[in-house]
């Protein structure tokens, strides 16, 4: 079985590649960037192909050349870059995903697993809890592209029998992330505290957001991919992660780093966007249909985060 990971040199994709490589597979990675930093330790057990998902031939060629059966489609522009340049985000996120689905259809790839986002919700959520039936009406362009891909994947499943499934991540946190994101204060607070540097958190202490450790993010998408097809009814699943206020985050960091210099300096525009999504998440369908259970609650997240930074200083420089 040959597995392709688009976006596989990135933050979550590299962790998916690491898990598969450590299990003895040799995953193929298609990424616009061929940097190996996050693949450190498994770089010689992964095949990296430099390519752009918005170029149909790049996608088609790699699937054909390596006889790909399963595609983890994580290659994407993230929220802030997509809002700054929606024209490129359309090409990469919407059209690039169409290329993945279309090449998978033509070349009879069995399965496409998609990484969507909690940011597909946002405007005007009426319910007290977000679940897989909540109305997806995103605030940002990024979320618009992700809703489109979810729906396009459902269409390919119905019309062409492609096994399309996916997860909707909350904010994914972990060491070494450079791509700016609205909830990036979460990992940057931990990282600055670890490095003994002061950090100003740009939300109010009571701002809550759902967040998940990157190792959980990689495990969850693999678990979703590997569930028997007959169990997969919902198709795309919202994942809950941790649901902490910024103050609770600080309190937890201080359990490990008591002298952490963390202050609040709220940016109300960002606070409003996060508040639009600030609801507890009900992940019951992920639990029921592919047995999802998080392995990284907040204390284990911070502990492992610090361990990663300590043991791999070059990886996260
Ligand atoms: N990090 C989060 O908080 C978060 C939350 C929800 C969903 N997601 C989704 O998870 C997936 C992985 O995100 P991540 O956090 O690892 O981000 P990341 O930026 O580290 O990884 C994305 C990867 O996609 C690659 N890429 C970008 N444009 C490309 C293109 N045109 N062709 C090929 N590759 C391209 C990048 O080089 C990068 O390696 C994305 O689809 C993202 O939308 C992430």
């Amino acid at each position: 079985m040959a597995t392709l990971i688009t976006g596989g040199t990135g933050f979550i994709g590299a962790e998916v590649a690491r898990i598969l490589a450590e299990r003895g597979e040799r995953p193929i990675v298609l990424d616009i960037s061929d940097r190996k930093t996050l693949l450190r330790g498994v770089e010689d057990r992964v095949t990296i192909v430099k390519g752009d998902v918005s170029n149909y031939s790049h996608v088609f060629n790699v699937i054909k050349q390596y006889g790909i059966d399963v595609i983890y489609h994580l290659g994407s522009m993230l929220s802030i870059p997509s809002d700054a340049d929606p024209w490129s985000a359309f090409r990469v996120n919407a059209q690039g995903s169409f290329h993945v689905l279309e090449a998978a259809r033509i070349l009879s790839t069995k399965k496409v697993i998609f990484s969507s986002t909690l940011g597909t919700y946002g405007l005007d959520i009426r319910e007290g809890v977000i679940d897989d039936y909540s109305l997806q009406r995103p605030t940002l362009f990024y979320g618009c592209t992700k809703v489109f891909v979810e729906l396009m994947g459902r269409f390919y499943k119905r019309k062409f029998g492609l096994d399309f499934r996916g997860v909707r991540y909350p904010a994914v946190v972990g060491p070494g992330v450079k791509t700016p994101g609205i909830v990036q204060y979460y990992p940057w607070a931990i990282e600055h505290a670890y490095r003994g540097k002061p950090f100003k958190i740009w939300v109010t202490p009571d701002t809550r957001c759902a967040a998940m450790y990157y190792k959980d993010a990689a495990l969850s998408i693999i678990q979703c991919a590997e569930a028997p097809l007959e169990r997969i009814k919902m198709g795309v699943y919202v994942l809950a992660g941790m649901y902490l206020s910024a103050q609770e985050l600080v309190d937890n960091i201080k359990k490990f780093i008591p002298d952490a210099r963390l202050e609040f300096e709220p940016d109300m525009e960002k606070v409003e966007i996060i508040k639009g999504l600030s609801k507890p998440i009900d992940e019951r369908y992920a639990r029921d249909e592919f047995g999802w259970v998080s392995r990284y609650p907040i204390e284990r997240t911070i502990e492992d985060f610090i361990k990663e930074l300590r043991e791999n200083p070059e990886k996260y420089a």
Side-chain angles (χ1 to χ4, degrees):
M1 191 184 77
T3 301
L4 174 69
I5 307 165
T6 72
T9 67
F11 176 43
I12 304 168
E15 187 59 21
V16 173
R18 173 181 309 283
I19 293 171
L20 299 185
E22 284 174 350
R23 285 191 336 196
E25 287 187 46
R26 185 177 184 88
I28 316 299
V29 156
L30 176 72
D31 202 299
I32 204 162
S33 159
D34 60 0
R35 67 186 179 277
K36 295 188 178 134
T37 335
L38 297 175
L39 289 164
R40 197 176 272 261
V42 291
E43 61 269 56
D44 52 356
R45 285 182 266 163
V46 172
T47 302
I48 300 176
V49 178
K50 192 169 179 181
D52 182 347
V53 293
S54 70
N55 182 323
Y56 181 66
S57 299
H58 287 182
V59 177
F60 186 90
N61 287 343
V62 75
I63 297 175
K64 186 159 193 294
Q65 181 180 350
Y66 292 95
I68 299 295
D69 303 295
V70 176
I71 303 172
Y72 288 89
H73 178 36
L74 292 114
S76 173
M77 284 173 62
L78 301 192
S79 61
I80 291 184
S82 296
D83 238 48
D85 183 356
W87 309 279
S88 298
F90 177 78
R91 241 180 0 90
V92 174
N93 296 8
Q95 212 165 355
S97 300
F98 173 66
H99 294 161
V100 169
L101 291 170
E102 193 54 5
R105 177 184 73 82
I106 292 169
L107 294 169
S108 304
T109 304
K110 293 194 189 80
K111 221 184 262 190
V112 174
I113 307 104
F114 181 55
S115 51
S116 189
T117 168
L118 183 62
T120 56
Y121 308 96
L123 287 177
D124 210 13
I125 299 172
R126 300 286 165 94
E127 309 89 336
V129 172
I130 294 176
D131 70 10
D132 288 313
Y133 286 103
S134 301
L135 190 59
Q136 288 172 281
R137 201 150 43 182
T139 314
L140 300 179
F141 190 75
Y142 169 69
C144 300
T145 63
K146 294 282 186 177
V147 177
F148 173 62
V149 179
E150 285 191 27
L151 296 174
M152 191 163 50
R154 288 181 201 276
F155 170 80
Y156 269 72
K157 184 168 183 176
R158 178 178 67 75
K159 179 92 176 170
F160 304 117
L162 178 71
D163 181 355
F164 176 86
R165 38 180 102 177
V167 290
R168 271 177 227 118
Y169 293 129
V172 179
V173 302
V177 174
K178 306 283 185 293
T179 318
I182 286 174
V183 285
Q184 209 55 44
Y185 68 85
Y186 211 115
W188 285 352
I190 304 173
E191 200 152 340
H192 279 73
Y194 168 77
R195 297 189 194 287
K197 293 184 181 164
F199 184 68
K200 289 191 168 46
I201 295 172
W202 56 76
V203 296
T204 51
D206 65 340
T207 306
R208 283 185 184 275
C209 85
M212 169 178 268
Y213 194 45
Y214 77 111
K215 293 189 179 180
D216 256 353
L219 288 168
S220 64
I221 200 167
I222 293 172
Q223 206 168 318
C224 175
E226 293 181 346
L229 178 58
E230 62 277 11
R231 298 278 308 275
I232 298 295
K233 304 274 190 263
M234 182 59 67
V236 184
Y237 303 85
V238 71
L239 302 177
M242 306 164 265
Y243 187 61
L244 298 179
S245 70
Q247 184 63 56
E248 287 164 347
L249 171 66
V250 169
D251 295 344
N252 276 285
I253 295 172
K254 286 192 171 171
K255 286 183 195 164
F256 294 87
I257 308 166
D259 54 355
R261 287 179 289 158
L262 302 169
E263 287 172 25
F264 290 95
E265 193 174 275
D267 170 340
M268 291 319 286
E269 196 188 343
K270 289 187 175 136
V271 171
E272 284 313 309
I273 292 173
I274 296 170
K275 281 202 169 147
L277 288 168
S278 186
K279 299 273 192 308
I281 295 162
D282 177 351
E283 62 178 10
R284 84 177 68 168
Y285 296 96
R287 286 174 184 267
D288 292 351
E289 296 184 20
F290 65 92
W292 173 242
V293 180
S294 160
R295 273 80 154 175
Y296 289 89
I298 187 62
E299 289 199 0
R300 187 159 182 228
T301 292
I302 297 174
E303 192 178 16
D304 194 80
F305 195 126
I306 292 170
K307 183 165 167 274
E308 280 286 334
L309 289 170
R310 197 171 39 236
E311 291 179 357
N312 303 290
E314 314 83 16
K315 188 170 161 188
Y316 303 118

